[in-house]
């Protein structure tokens, strides 16, 4: 049978957290074509709520169209948000701060859009700090990285440095990647611990 793909493993980790909580809430920090949003909506179920972020309206349109094709009463409510992921905190109700079960990042570019529009460390690193603040204890943060495109390797290296620097009382981090191909996509997954995380200004 072979190993799970990077995306499948990210989905598995996030789904496990959502399925264990009734009325779970989660964020897709990079909506893209909507695959992560759809999975989160299925896993959270009809009592859940998913917030789907992207800076491109085309990505949110793709996402909502995908949901409409699979839409039924078993999906969570999905709120699309046209904003950068480093603005997540402003768009998530305060009552959910520190209460989210999963946050997913799928970095890079929109496959069906302009490939020159890419995620960058300038917004990604602050967004990851905010994501940890928004997660509940034992909440999961997944980050799929793409070092194979221009700018991707630099972003991946900085994200990995960020994850490595997290104190063990704050989070537990793992990496899932194919070792023979340096440019292959890979996953960093982070579980928030119970320690108090200082709020970001």
């Amino acid at each position: 049978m072979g190993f799970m793909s990077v995306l499948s493993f990210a989905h598995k980790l996030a789904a496990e957290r959502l399925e264990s909580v009734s009325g779970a809430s989660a964020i897709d920090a990079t909506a893209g074509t909507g695959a992560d949003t759809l999975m989160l909506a299925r896993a959270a179920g009809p009592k859940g709520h998913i917030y789907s972020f992207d800076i491109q309206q085309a990505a949110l349109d793709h996402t909502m169209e995908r949901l409409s094709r699979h839409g039924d009463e078993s999906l969570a409510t999905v709120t699309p948000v046209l904003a950068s992921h480093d603005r997540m905190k402003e768009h998530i109700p305060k009552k959910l701060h520190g209460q989210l079960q999963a946050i997913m990042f799928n970095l890079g570019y929109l496959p069906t859009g302009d490939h020159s529009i890419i995620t960058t460390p300038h917004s990604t690193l602050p967004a990851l700090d905010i994501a940890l603040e928004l997660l509940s204890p034992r909440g999961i943060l997944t980050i799929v990285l793409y070092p194979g495109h221009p700018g991707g390797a630099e972003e991946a290296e900085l994200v990995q440095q960020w994850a490595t620097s997290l104190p063990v009382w704050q989070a537990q981090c793992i990496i899932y990647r194919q070792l023979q191909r340096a440019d292959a996509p890979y996953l960093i997954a982070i579980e928030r611990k119970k320690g108090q995380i200082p709020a970001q200004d």
Side-chain angles (χ1 to χ4, degrees):
M1 179 172 149
F3 294 118
M4 297 179 73
S5 72
V6 167
L7 289 174
S8 294
F9 191 39
H11 284 189
K12 178 179 184 294
L13 293 173
E16 287 173 348
R17 304 308 164 102
L18 293 173
E19 291 166 354
S20 66
V21 177
S22 178
S25 298
I27 292 174
D28 181 354
T30 48
T33 60
D36 292 345
T37 297
L38 176 59
M39 183 282 301
L40 291 169
R42 283 175 167 160
K47 295 182 180 179
H49 199 135
I50 310 302
Y51 296 85
S52 188
F53 285 78
D54 211 285
I55 61 170
Q56 298 184 73
Q57 185 62 51
L60 296 178
D61 291 343
H62 281 303
T63 296
M64 299 312 289
E65 180 183 352
R66 182 181 288 234
L67 289 169
S68 69
R69 293 198 304 268
H70 295 84
D72 57 50
E73 294 181 356
S74 67
L75 295 181
T77 299
V78 175
T79 299
V81 184
L82 184 63
S84 175
H85 45 217
D86 63 350
R87 316 292 294 194
M88 287 188 296
K89 188 176 177 181
E90 302 170 21
H91 295 275
I92 301 299
K94 287 188 177 181
K95 67 180 181 180
L96 293 179
H97 292 190
Q99 301 299 318
L100 296 172
Q101 277 71 49
I103 301 177
M104 302 188 76
F105 286 74
N106 197 338
L107 302 178
Y109 52 77
L110 179 63
T112 58
D114 182 350
H115 290 190
S116 70
I117 302 175
I118 62 173
T119 56
T120 66
H122 176 74
S123 61
T124 297
L125 295 177
L128 293 173
D129 284 330
I130 292 167
L132 276 183
E133 184 184 340
L134 293 174
L135 280 176
S136 66
R138 296 202 72 248
I140 194 84
L141 168 60
T142 65
I143 313 157
V144 177
L145 300 148
Y146 296 87
H149 69 83
E154 293 82 359
E155 181 175 43
E157 178 61 28
L158 289 171
V159 169
Q160 190 167 327
Q161 290 176 13
W162 172 86
T164 302
S165 71
L166 293 173
V168 293
W169 60 262
Q170 185 178 18
Q172 178 181 8
C173 306
I174 65 168
I175 191 167
Y176 181 74
R177 71 183 304 173
Q178 182 179 345
L179 294 178
Q180 298 101 321
R181 286 180 53 215
D183 62 347
Y186 67 100
L187 169 70
I188 292 175
I190 299 168
E191 180 185 64
R192 179 180 161 180
K193 297 284 191 69
K194 293 182 179 180
Q196 183 64 37
I197 296 175
Q200 302 294 314
D201 293 332

